[in-house]
Amino acid sequence: SPFRIGGAVPTVFSYFSEVLAREKRGEHLSWLCMFWMIGGIYASAMAWAIIPHYGWSFSMGSAYQFHSWRVFVIVCALPCVSSVVALTFMPESPRFLLEVGKHDEAWMILKQIHDTNMRARGQPEKVFTVNRIKTPKQIDELIEIESDTGTWYRRCFVRIRTELYAIWLTFMRCFNYPVKDNTIKLTAVWFTLSFGYYGLSVWFPDVIKHLQSDEYASRVKHFRNEEVSHFVFNFTLENQIHSNGEYINDRFIMMKFKSVTFEDSLFKNCVFEDITSLNTYFRNCTFVNTTFYNTDLEQYKFVDSELINCTFFHIRTGCQISFDDDYSAYWIYFVNFLGTLAVLPGNIVSALLMDRIGRLTMLGGSMVLSGISCFFLWFGTSESMMIGMLCLYNGLTISAWNSLDVITVELYPTDRRATGFGFLNALCKAAAVLGNLIFGSLVGITKAIPILLASTVLVCGGLVGLRLPDTRTQVLM
C-alpha cells in the first residue's frame, strides 16, 4: 500500500499541473494539497471514532474475528475506491498521448483544457490555436528490431530493458542543465523540511505521553507495612505502591490492578481469582500456599519473587486490558486528530495567498517561522501546552509543504516532472525515517537537542528555499 501511494502522489501533481491556467496555478495546486490534509483528518477522526470500540466486532466461524480495526481499514479504503472510479472519467495526459504518437487525441484534450480555462476567465469566444507540437523523442528502436525476428521472451526482455533504460535516462536528466542547480536546492529543502517536520511529529506525542506518565506517577499512593488478614479485595486498585506488607488468608476476587506494585511483601494462604492487570508487578515478594485462578498474572510479573507451593489454573496470556478500561487510547487518537485539524487554517491561508505573495516568500517564511516556533517548546511543561505547541507548529509548517509542492511542480519540465517529484518525495520519506529514529531516541532524555536540531534544519532549509527561482509567472515547460 505505501508503495502504491508513493507512486500516486507525484503522478497526481504532475497530471493536475498540466491542465491549470498560469495565473491560478499556485492556488489550485494548494487546494490539491489541502486534500492530503482532509484525508489525514478523515483517517484520524475514523481512528478516534472506531478503533477504541472493541465491541464493534463479530465472528466469521470459530477462527476468524472481525475486530474494529478491520472496520477502520474498510472505511479508509472507501475514498481510494471512489478515486479509482473518478479516474475513469478523466482525460489522458496530452504528454503521454504525444509519447505514443496519438497527436489527434492530444490536440483534442488540449483544446478541451483551453476551452474550459477560457470559460472560467470569461472569454469563451477565444479560439484554440496550436503553432507547433514538439514530439517527444522515441526510444523504441530496439523493440521494432526485435518484433520480427525475436522470440516472445526476447521481445519482453528487450522491452523491459528499454523501459528501465528510459527511466534511468529521465532520472539523470533531473541533474542536467538547466534544472541541476534547482534539483540540488530542492533536495536540501525537501530533506530539511521532512526531517524537522516528521521528527517533531513523532517526538510531540511521545513527549506528551512522557509528561502524562510523570504527572500520573506524581499522584501515586504509598502504603507501607500493611497487615491484612481474612479480607476480600473486590475493587480496583490503581496507581499504588505497597511495601513490606503481609497478606494472610486474603482473597483477591474479580478485580483489576492498574499500575500497582507490591514490594518486599508476603502473601500466605491467599487466592487470586478473575484478575486483570496492567503495569502491575510483584517485586521481591514471597507467595506461600497461594492459588491463582483465571488471572493474567504471568511469570514476568513476578520479579525476583519466590513462590512456595503455589498453584496456577487457567492463566490468561497476552494483554487483557481493553480500550474501555484504558482511556488513554482515546486521548492518543484525539491528540492526533487535533494536530491534523490544526493544519486547516494554514492550508486555506496558503491557497489564498500563494499567487499573491509568491511561492518563495511562503516557503521561506513558513519554514523560518516553524523553526522559531520550536523554541516555545522550552515552556511546554504540561500536556495541554504541548498540544497547543503541536497545533501551532503544524499550522505554520503546512504552508511550507504546499509552496514546496507548487515550486517543485513548476520548476521541472513536463518530461521529467513526475520523475523529479517522485525522487524528492522518496528523499522526503528517507529523511522522515531518519528524523523518527533520532528524535524518538531522545524522548525523556533531553529537550535541548530535538529543539535545537529541528530549529536549525528548518531555518537553514528555509534560507535555501529563498534561493530558488520565482516560478509565479513562469509558463510550464
Side-chain angles (χ1 to χ4, degrees):
S1 181
F3 180 81
R4 299 184 187 97
I5 293 173
V9 172
T11 307
V12 167
F13 279 92
S14 301
Y15 175 81
F16 191 46
S17 65
E18 293 184 25
V19 301
L20 295 175
R22 179 175 52 192
E23 61 272 11
K24 288 289 186 178
R25 191 169 57 219
E27 177 182 340
H28 289 293
L29 284 172
S30 298
W31 293 128
L32 177 63
C33 295
M34 190 169 71
F35 281 93
W36 181 275
M37 176 270 305
I38 293 174
I41 293 177
Y42 174 78
S44 300
M46 292 300 101
W48 180 33
I50 295 175
I51 293 180
H53 296 284
Y54 267 25
W56 294 10
S57 62
F58 59 89
S59 299
M60 297 178 64
S62 60
Y64 190 78
Q65 296 288 329
F66 197 90
H67 292 294
S68 58
W69 69 267
R70 288 192 169 95
V71 178
F72 169 70
V73 171
I74 292 176
V75 171
C76 286
L78 294 178
C80 297
V81 175
S82 302
S83 65
V84 172
V85 175
L87 282 174
T88 61
F89 299 95
M90 301 296 292
E92 183 55 83
S93 164
R95 169 74 190 188
F96 173 76
L97 294 175
L98 292 176
E99 287 273 8
V100 297
K102 298 180 180 180
H103 298 170
D104 292 339
E105 293 183 32
W107 185 89
M108 292 299 296
I109 292 176
L110 288 172
K111 183 178 184 302
Q112 179 184 351
I113 295 171
H114 172 272
D115 294 343
T116 302
N117 288 336
M118 288 304 105
R119 284 195 300 269
R121 290 181 181 180
Q123 302 173 352
E125 72 283 352
K126 193 166 183 179
V127 179
F128 173 67
T129 57
V130 177
N131 294 327
R132 66 187 182 91
I133 294 180
K134 184 179 179 181
T135 304
K137 183 180 179 181
Q138 302 294 321
I139 56 171
D140 286 340
E141 292 83 0
L142 289 176
I143 298 174
E144 297 294 336
I145 295 173
E146 293 288 337
S147 61
D148 295 329
T149 59
T151 59
W152 66 270
Y153 57 85
R154 177 63 178 170
R155 289 195 296 271
C156 290
F157 171 76
V158 173
R159 174 167 289 276
I160 293 173
R161 185 183 64 183
T162 305
E163 293 296 337
L164 292 176
Y165 180 65
I167 293 172
W168 175 252
L169 285 181
T170 305
F171 173 72
M172 292 307 298
R173 288 171 64 197
C174 294
F175 296 90
N176 293 341
Y177 179 84
V179 297
K180 177 181 178 181
D181 292 341
N182 294 335
T183 298
I184 295 174
K185 294 174 184 176
L186 285 172
T187 298
V189 178
W190 274 86
F191 186 90
T192 54
L193 181 57
S194 179
F195 180 85
Y197 176 77
Y198 287 107
L200 283 182
S201 295
V202 170
W203 186 71
F204 266 117
D206 285 342
V207 169
I208 292 174
K209 186 177 180 180
H210 184 73
L211 290 173
Q212 286 180 325
S213 299
D214 289 344
E215 195 271 337
Y216 186 77
S218 68
R219 294 186 283 108
V220 65
K221 296 179 181 179
H222 290 266
F223 298 88
R224 296 179 175 87
N225 303 315
E226 289 181 310
E227 294 184 5
V228 183
S229 62
H230 298 89
F231 185 80
V232 177
F233 293 86
N234 58 359
F235 46 86
T236 299
L237 298 182
E238 180 178 357
N239 200 18
Q240 299 177 2
I241 297 177
H242 299 260
S243 302
N244 299 304
E246 290 187 2
Y247 305 90
I248 311 297
N249 294 312
D250 293 326
R251 296 175 63 86
F252 300 83
I253 308 296
M254 297 183 66
M255 60 178 299
K256 299 176 182 178
F257 293 97
K258 184 175 181 181
S259 299
V260 178
T261 301
F262 291 90
E263 298 176 342
D264 304 311
S265 298
L266 170 65
F267 296 84
K268 186 175 182 180
N269 300 326
C270 294
V271 175
F272 291 81
E273 183 176 349
D274 295 325
I275 302 298
T276 303
S277 62
L278 177 68
N279 294 330
T280 296
Y281 300 95
F282 299 87
R283 302 183 187 278
N284 198 29
C285 295
T286 301
F287 295 83
V288 180
N289 297 326
T290 297
T291 300
F292 299 86
Y293 179 81
N294 194 31
T295 72
D296 62 356
L297 299 177
E298 301 179 61
Q299 290 298 321
Y300 74 90
K301 296 185 179 182
F302 300 92
V303 181
D304 297 326
S305 295
E306 185 178 6
L307 290 87
I308 302 173
N309 197 26
C310 295
T311 307
F312 291 83
F313 298 100
H314 302 292
I315 299 300
R316 303 192 305 270
T317 60
C319 180
Q320 304 298 326
I321 290 292
S322 70
F323 280 103
D324 293 331
D325 299 313
D326 189 9
Y327 291 102
S328 63
Y330 289 97
W331 186 248
I332 292 171
Y333 291 114
F334 180 65
V335 169
N336 188 36
F337 175 73
L338 286 180
T340 308
L341 189 63
V343 172
L344 180 59
N347 238 315
I348 295 175
V349 170
S350 64
L352 296 177
L353 298 182
M354 188 69 69
D355 289 310
R356 296 186 181 182
I357 68 175
R359 292 90 161 105
L360 299 185
T361 303
M362 185 79 69
L363 174 62
S366 178
M367 291 187 69
V368 171
L369 288 176
S370 298
I372 294 175
S373 70
C374 291
F375 285 104
F376 289 100
L377 296 175
W378 289 109
F379 309 101
T381 56
S382 67
E383 55 191 82
S384 58
M385 291 181 65
M386 293 300 293
I387 293 173
M389 298 300 174
L390 171 64
C391 294
L392 174 64
Y393 178 75
N394 285 351
L396 290 173
T397 310
I398 191 61
S399 297
W401 280 115
N402 289 358
S403 54
L404 184 58
D405 289 336
V406 174
I407 291 173
T408 303
V409 167
E410 294 178 335
L411 280 178
Y412 285 106
T414 305
D415 59 349
R416 62 196 105 167
R417 183 175 296 123
T419 302
F421 201 110
F423 162 70
L424 294 170
N425 206 27
L427 181 71
C428 161
K429 299 303 180 283
V433 172
L434 181 63
N436 292 346
L437 293 175
I438 293 177
F439 284 78
S441 64
L442 298 173
V443 174
I445 299 177
T446 177
K447 272 188 177 182
I449 295 179
I451 292 174
L452 293 176
L453 186 58
S455 299
T456 301
V457 297
L458 288 171
V459 172
C460 291
L463 295 177
V464 173
L466 291 174
R467 303 292 298 175
L468 289 166
D470 189 3
T471 57
R472 194 176 357 173
T473 58
Q474 180 175 305
V475 177
L476 290 185
M477 294 179 285

